[in-house]
Amino acid sequence: MDMSVKKKLGLKEKYALMTRNLGWEPSYEKREDVYPLLDYEGIKIHDWDTWEDPFRLTMDSYWKYQAEKERKLYAIIDAFNQNNGHLNVTDARYINAMKVFLSAVPALEYNAHRGFARLGRHMGGVGPQVACQMQAIDEMRHCQTQIHSISNYNRFYNGIHDWKHMNDRLWYLSVPKSFFEDACTCGPFEFIIAIGFSFEYVLTNLVFVPFVSGAAYNGDMGTMTFGFSAQSDEARHMTLGLEVIKFMLEQDPANLPIVQKWIDKWTWRGVRLLTIVAMMMDYMLPKRVMSWKEAWEIYFEENGMSLFKDLARYGIKVPDCVEQIKKEKDHLSHQAWTTFYAAAPMTNFHTWIPSDDELDWLSAKYPDTFDKYYRPRFEFFREQAEKGERFVNPNLPQLCQVCQIPMLFTEPDDPTQIAYRQSEHDGEKYHFCSDHCQHIFDNEPEKYVEAWLPVHQILQGNCFAEGDDPSAPDFDPIASVMKYWHLENGRDNGDFAGSEDEKNFAAWRGMTTSNT
Amino acid sequence: MSNVFIALQTNEESRYIVEALLEDNPTAVVDEQPAMVKINVPGTLVLRRETVEEKMGRPFDLQEMQVNLITLSGHVDEDENEFRLSWND
Ligand SMILES: [Fe+2]
Ligand SMILES: [Fe+2]
């Protein structure tokens, strides 16, 4: 009898059959009509077939592993809800870190989905098409699981009852929103450098350390779980980012200056975006995993530099902005938290003055700067609060035209001086937080003059609640803007001490340990 | 020589993967963090399917690791027997 043994396909063979062989050359349409976006950025690709996905993940395995991840995730989310998991967090102040995350990130995931879906269609070879399509589905999954996770918290805590509405309107949320919209309006190659390389590869580790490890450390099983589930896709995304950059650089030496310019731009854009993460790590996690500065040193200075050392063989240089970032690591989180503290009536989360222990921790982690520049500010805030004159900045801040962050950063070499840059375009003045944001603007002014800056929009009268009459004698502009954002001053924001969140958490936690 | 690294969720499967990594990479350094374990190795890291199978006592497909993976650093090269991370500096 003929016993034919059915040999299992090797990974490389399977990848060839189930990915590469899915493509075809068009016969009755011109290639440039099928892929119309590949030329205008100036990137030259000579042979799309030399691309290979190092994970060699085929669609059948993809679905199998993704289904497994979802099963694990939803089992834990159910358990979290059945056990009132939100009451196990270290301290209810922690929930405010989640408010920031859940207000900002689901919309980013959705935009990442849109960006990669577009690339899945427009990349010129089947290898990157399939990898981008997988990432597009991943990002949709991240968006959905995060939206599900919002309901673990917004049933109990204030400020995130209408995250999508706020994401499109609230001042600080325009920072992440405009970052991704900037990327999505780039050509396909710049998009993948922006998101796949600069954001996913160079910076993503700085995000998951505070969110995932930080959530675990602070007893938040729900967040740890969706964080890990999303993160498990990230290694594949990072690898795609790195492969794309190598591929572009290997295809044609003329690609180098274009790629370098994008790396410089998007490293800076990403680092500016992470200002808010710096603040969360140093101020919003009651149990600290590590300081922002430490995370920066491990994941950027050590790991990021290994990457740039590796890419040096293609002629890639470390972005110029790294010099400035090095100087800012001692200041960033403190400048951001003091800004949010002072802007308390205009946010969707609570702020607080760090406790004495926490101030000491900050002094120890930032020996060169904290006692000298920042501790006195918190002591001043505390004195004011004790006198019943809680410090609030009543003004709308000037925003950087590029990163959209309020002008809160100081000069790299003088932490007592706010940095301020200005360019003119078509007779109008534009303001920037730094040389690097200014430089980005000066390279593409036509793009960045279009920015929707929340403060400008408020001042132009475009952000008042429907039906309010700005010419009425008793018109209160700030109250009207809050209504437009769907926020209730004092309930959704302001001091954590004395808040409804604080009282509810204490009462509910009490109920879990007593019978009354 | 720069480090490559891999980080996994702390769980029952990762425990064997970490054991296999430590056996196959004598210069590996383990860094335990809340809910995650990070393995740093100078230059190159290799994970062998056979070693993992020996530790787990069952057949193992290296792509199963995707379920527990958190992050990595270095160039990836994978086939059915080996998963490799390296820098070319
Ligand atoms: Fe994502
Ligand atoms: Fe800026």
Side-chain angles (χ1 to χ4, degrees), chain B residues 32-43:
Chain B
E32 306 222 32
Q33 288 187 25
M36 86 178 208
V37 51
K38 182 168 171 253
I39 313 288
N40 303 302
V41 189

Side-chain angles (χ1 to χ4, degrees), chain A residues 269-283:
Chain A
R269 296 280 282 119
V271 168
R272 270 291 180 253
L273 179 61
L274 292 191
T275 302
I276 203 157
V277 178
M279 166 182 109
M280 292 168 80
M281 287 190 78
D282 285 343
Y283 287 89

Side-chain angles (χ1 to χ4, degrees), chain A residues 480-494:
Chain A
S480 186
V481 171
M482 295 298 287
K483 211 154 82 180
Y484 168 79
W485 287 336
H486 294 183
L487 282 174
E488 198 181 312
N489 198 4
R491 187 170 186 233
D492 292 318
N493 56 24

Side-chain angles (χ1 to χ4, degrees), chain A residues 332-385:
Chain A
L332 212 57
S333 64
H334 320 303
Q335 295 179 352
W337 185 247
T338 47
T339 301
F340 274 102
Y341 178 84
M346 298 197 80
T347 65
N348 66 332
F349 60 91
H350 296 297
T351 55
W352 52 87
I353 297 163
S355 65
D356 288 335
D357 291 5
E358 289 165 342
L359 290 173
D360 292 344
W361 183 86
L362 289 161
S363 298
K365 292 292 181 187
Y366 294 95
D368 300 335
T369 54
F370 191 72
D371 286 351
K372 195 165 168 202
Y373 302 108
Y374 303 105
R375 195 169 184 129
R377 281 185 218 183
F378 288 114
E379 282 162 356
F380 172 73
F381 289 162
R382 191 186 282 177
E383 268 167 42
Q384 294 294 104

Side-chain angles (χ1 to χ4, degrees), chain A residues 23 53 60 62 115 118 236 317 341 348 395 426 466 513:
Chain A
D53 177 0
D60 58 326
Y62 174 78
R118 182 173 69 126
R236 189 156 33 77
K317 291 195 193 68
Y341 178 84
N348 66 332
N395 303 307
D426 265 350
E466 222 178 271
T513 52

Side-chain angles (χ1 to χ4, degrees), chain A residues 437-456:
Chain A
C437 277
Q438 181 178 32
H439 190 65
I440 291 169
F441 177 91
D442 290 344
N443 272 320
E444 296 165 87
E446 297 82 0
K447 180 171 195 177
Y448 293 97
V449 297
E450 298 290 335
W452 194 93
L453 296 173
V455 170
H456 290 192

